[in-house]
Amino acid sequence: QKEVEQDPGPLSVPEGAIVSLNCTYSNSAFQYFMWYRQYSRKGPELLMYTYSSGNKEDGRFTAQVDKSSKYISLFIRDSQPSDSATYLCAMSRYSGGGADGLTFGKGTHLIIQP
Amino acid sequence: DADVTQTPRNRITKTGKRIMLECSQTKGHDRMYWYRQDPGLGLRLIYYSFDVKDINKGEISDGYSVSRQAQAKFSLSLESAIPNQTALYFCATSDSPGQGGTDTQYFGPGTRLTVL
């Protein structure tokens, strides 16, 4: 079993829809959870950073962590064509990655249709 | 100017050649990382450095070496490149954990390496 599982997609939705992106993980020691967005031919850029369980909202983006289920989600409201990108979940045992670095999902390719 | 820069951005080389990828940062971070990204495999950690005198192997360090020349510079070398090292390589930086703020990793734009 992979440490982090993420559906690669592609996930195609119409503009304005609510998008739900998810990752599951197996290592219960993970405490720090991140979502990165990666445009084609660019480096990943941090979208959301959460510690332990709970929700965090930033504009149109909401990150949820359910440690009991080992499941994290990213919701995008009022999706825009500019949101089309690959979304990577990442997690770590230690703040900043620490000695293990970050463990990434493989990424979900999201397409927002105008 | 970008906070994390990588050179070259693209490189094509032949099997057996020695290749160096360079990373520089102006963020003042202590920690630097090298990852590779492959289709279907995601990002995997090659090496990381917590300061100039601290170098550590990551998940897939075989066939690679690194040098931390200064706080701001971290180089990745392929001593004898092979085709399965064809990938997108990313450098990342992070601050040391401390009170307050986030110490997340910030990525450079990547180097696309092709080994023929």
Side-chain angles (χ1 to χ4, degrees):
Chain A
Q1 181 185 12
K2 298 288 186 183
E3 273 202 298
V4 179
E5 299 275 5
Q6 185 177 10
D7 188 334
L11 174 63
S12 183
V13 302
E15 183 176 355
I18 295 174
V19 175
S20 173
L21 304 169
N22 311 293
C23 288
T24 59
Y25 62 95
S26 59
N27 188 343
S28 59
F30 288 141
Q31 297 189 81
Y32 299 87
F33 303 91
M34 289 135 274
W35 285 95
Y36 283 83
R37 177 175 61 195
Q38 185 177 19
Y39 291 113
S40 181
R41 300 186 179 277
K42 300 287 187 182
E45 57 177 332
L46 181 70
L47 269 181
M48 300 289 283
Y49 178 101
T50 55
Y51 169 68
S52 194
S53 287
N55 294 357
K56 184 174 183 179
E57 186 174 324
D58 184 0
R60 296 185 296 112
F61 298 91
T62 299
Q64 287 186 352
V65 175
D66 182 349
K67 290 189 69 179
S68 63
S69 301
K70 298 190 181 68
Y71 187 87
I72 69 171
S73 300
L74 178 70
F75 297 95
I76 307 174
R77 292 183 299 279
D78 188 24
S79 56
Q80 304 294 312
S82 58
D83 295 328
S84 298
T86 297
Y87 289 79
L88 302 157
C89 64
M91 46 198 79
S92 66
R93 292 191 291 165
Y94 307 106
S95 179
D100 302 331
L102 295 176
T103 300
F104 284 87
K106 294 179 182 179
T108 298
H109 182 47
L110 174 65
I111 301 168
I112 307 298
Q113 305 164 342
Chain B
D1 288 340
D3 294 320
V4 184
T5 58
Q6 292 183 235
T7 55
R9 294 295 311 280
N10 291 280
R11 183 71 185 268
I12 299 174
T13 191
K14 295 182 179 180
T15 297
K17 293 292 188 180
R18 184 178 186 274
I19 296 296
M20 179 180 286
L21 309 182
E22 298 185 338
C23 177
S24 294
Q25 53 115 346
T26 59
K27 299 184 78 66
H29 288 167
D30 290 326
R31 301 182 171 193
M32 299 185 73
Y33 309 79
W34 276 104
Y35 291 88
R36 65 177 280 176
Q37 187 175 39
D38 300 272
L41 294 177
L43 279 156
R44 292 179 293 166
L45 183 65
I46 305 172
Y47 269 95
Y48 61 99
S49 168
F50 284 176
D51 63 41
V52 174
K53 297 180 180 179
D54 180 73
I55 304 286
N56 303 281
K57 293 182 177 180
E59 178 187 353
I60 52 164
S61 59
D62 288 348
Y64 301 95
S65 62
V66 291
S67 173
R68 185 80 183 267
Q69 299 96 323
Q71 186 205 33
K73 296 183 182 298
F74 193 34
S75 300
L76 177 72
S77 293
L78 287 68
E79 297 300 326
S80 180
I82 56 177
N84 77 0
Q85 291 177 312
T86 293
L88 194 53
Y89 289 85
F90 288 103
C91 173
T93 75
S94 72
D95 208 347
S96 300
Q99 295 182 352
T102 63
D103 48 2
T104 53
Q105 294 186 19
Y106 297 88
F107 286 79
T111 294
R112 187 170 296 277
L113 177 66
T114 302
V115 183
L116 302 175

